[in-house]
Amino acid sequence: MPSTVLVRSLFRHAWTLFLFTKSDIKTTLIPISIFAIASAPIHSASHVPHVVFWVWLHLLQFDVSNQLMDPDEDNHNKPDRPLPAKRISYRNATIMRWALVPLCWGLSALYSSYVLCASVALVAFTVIYDELHAHSGHFAVRNVVNAAGFASFELGSTLISGTDPSRFTSTMLLAISISAGIFATTIQAQDFKDIRGDSLIGRKTLPIVLPSVARPTLLVALLVWSLSLTHIWRLDFTTACTLIALSCFVGVRFVFLQGEKDDQISFYWYNVSLSV
């Protein structure tokens, strides 16, 4: 009986951790893991679990921090998350949020000082975004901090994926720089589906501040980046056409299919295009 209780308790805690990160598995964990494997390039398949776990642990650190900011909002929009579902108290979640920081840094230090620097940067951008309220500030600041955070994710995970976690390559740095630019100019794709909720709490996202230009400029940005990537990476004709067509498809969806449900679906397709 005691062993059964222990197993149930461990499973409950593990499921609580999963629920903190559930909504970002498709939007962050999968795209960044794919990015790291493609950009290193990966030295061995045995590196994949290291990459995925490093990204997930840092994602957990970010998500716990983010969900502590406004738990009342999740009571209405995402009641299955651990705080509104009463799976963990606000106090215990706060303790876990800060306990995860040295855990992330300790794991990163096992790989190299460069991975540790990426982890420190990611924690710093998390604090800026959440505790210093960049998430509720001007959309330009929000986009830049978002892009810097994603770049930190990509730097650490790509170093772990490669042959030597203490060595940069020109391909790696170019890929991360381009990716940061893409995020900084298109990450507003995640804000369309949240217009109603963001308006209620006073957030100044691009779709709220400049609703008439937010959608068409996203289409243009996606198309420009696709054409640029085709040139930079010297893609073959079929791959280039696939990338450009997918970007156009995503951008056109955002322009012509408006509404919370359609924007949610379009955001999923946006993440597919990022992975590609």
Side-chain angles (χ1 to χ4, degrees):
M1 181 63 71
S3 61
T4 303
V5 172
L6 177 61
V7 170
R8 288 179 178 175
S9 177
L10 290 174
F11 179 81
R12 174 180 170 78
H13 291 315
W15 189 249
T16 298
L17 297 179
F18 169 77
L19 289 175
F20 270 114
T21 60
K22 177 185 174 184
S23 61
D24 285 327
I25 289 176
K26 295 186 291 292
T27 63
T28 304
L29 180 62
I30 293 175
I32 288 180
S33 297
I34 291 174
F35 176 94
I37 293 168
S39 302
I42 192 163
H43 175 62
S44 168
S46 64
H47 288 206
V48 175
H50 292 262
V51 171
V52 173
F53 182 73
W54 188 91
V55 173
W56 177 82
L57 184 65
H58 285 75
L59 180 61
L60 176 64
Q61 179 269 149
F62 171 80
D63 281 337
V64 175
S65 170
N66 189 254
Q67 291 171 37
L68 281 167
M69 292 301 99
D70 197 352
D72 290 335
E73 181 185 355
D74 285 341
N75 283 330
H76 302 287
N77 298 332
K78 297 172 182 176
D80 62 327
R81 283 182 169 179
L83 283 167
K86 310 299 182 186
R87 298 182 66 91
I88 186 172
S89 68
Y90 188 91
R91 178 178 179 275
N92 287 341
T94 303
I95 293 171
M96 182 172 71
R97 183 265 180 277
W98 294 109
L100 283 167
V101 172
L103 185 60
C104 288
W105 290 350
L107 174 66
S108 300
L110 295 177
Y111 292 102
S112 75
S113 59
Y114 288 128
V115 178
L116 174 59
C117 287
S119 180
V120 171
L122 182 52
V123 170
F125 288 122
T126 298
V127 172
I128 293 171
Y129 190 79
D130 290 333
E131 280 80 10
L132 298 183
H133 306 294
H135 69 279
S136 59
H138 192 274
F139 68 85
V141 175
R142 190 167 183 260
N143 281 19
V144 169
V145 174
N146 252 313
F150 273 106
S152 302
F153 265 118
E154 292 171 344
L155 177 59
S157 58
T158 304
L159 285 168
I160 294 171
S161 179
T163 56
D164 183 355
S166 61
R167 185 173 68 88
F168 296 103
T169 67
S170 58
T171 299
M172 180 191 304
L173 294 177
L174 178 58
I176 293 172
S177 299
I178 293 171
S179 180
I182 293 172
F183 279 120
T185 53
T186 67
I187 196 61
Q188 62 269 22
Q190 70 180 351
D191 297 325
F192 291 104
K193 59 183 173 55
D194 297 325
I195 289 176
R196 182 165 55 89
D198 288 342
S199 298
L200 292 174
I201 61 175
R203 282 183 181 159
K204 299 176 182 178
T205 64
L206 182 58
I208 293 173
V209 176
L210 297 171
S212 61
V213 301
R215 293 179 186 272
T217 53
L218 177 59
L219 170 58
V220 172
L222 289 171
L223 183 57
V224 169
W225 277 115
S226 297
L227 293 170
S228 300
L229 289 171
T230 297
H231 173 71
I232 293 169
W233 299 123
R234 300 177 183 177
L235 301 181
D236 63 84
F237 181 77
T238 302
T239 304
C241 288
T242 301
L243 180 62
I244 294 169
L246 182 57
S247 296
C248 288
F249 169 73
V250 174
V252 168
R253 273 198 62 94
F254 274 111
V255 171
F256 292 103
L257 298 178
Q258 302 181 20
E260 192 169 318
K261 184 176 181 180
D262 282 322
D263 285 334
Q264 180 70 63
I265 296 173
S266 295
F267 182 55
Y268 288 148
W269 277 108
Y270 168 80
N271 286 285
V272 171
S273 70
L274 286 183
S275 299
V276 173

